[in-house]
Amino acid sequence: MFLIFSLITRLISIYSWALIIYILMSWFPNARDTKIGQFLAKICEPYLDPFRRIIPPLGMIDISPIVAFLVLNFATSGLWQLYSWIT
């Protein structure tokens, strides 16, 4: 059971890093047009879109990725809490 929870949290961690890289790519011109940028867009945009619909940008700053990271952190904490209740 520990292996399953550990694997899920590891995947969430890898996905968080993919989000960080995808967001940082927006700072560089044409970085999202590369193959890596297109791949990251395919896996990150479906997760970020609901947050962008709910949270409007503040001027030129999009704060929805911050909320998306918080949700991923809460999910990880919740998984470990659930694991502690099961064992």
Side-chain angles (χ1 to χ4, degrees):
M1 195 61 132
F2 174 77
L3 180 64
I4 293 170
F5 282 96
S6 179
L7 178 65
I8 292 171
T9 56
R10 177 67 58 163
L11 289 174
I12 291 173
S13 175
I14 291 169
Y15 191 73
S16 295
W17 279 106
L19 280 173
I20 290 170
I21 293 168
Y22 180 67
I23 292 164
L24 289 176
M25 288 180 87
S26 70
W27 294 358
F28 301 101
N30 300 325
R32 289 188 178 176
D33 295 335
T34 63
K35 289 195 182 269
I36 294 171
Q38 292 171 356
F39 172 73
L40 289 175
K42 285 181 186 178
I43 63 171
C44 295
E45 282 298 327
Y47 179 67
L48 291 173
D49 277 342
F51 296 104
R52 288 186 177 140
R53 277 189 249 130
I54 295 170
I55 304 163
L58 299 173
M60 296 291 292
I61 300 172
D62 183 15
I63 62 167
S64 59
I66 296 169
V67 177
F69 282 117
L70 289 174
V71 169
L72 285 176
N73 285 335
F74 287 142
T76 303
S77 299
L79 280 172
W80 284 115
Q81 186 64 40
L82 180 65
Y83 177 74
S84 69
W85 287 344
I86 291 174
T87 58

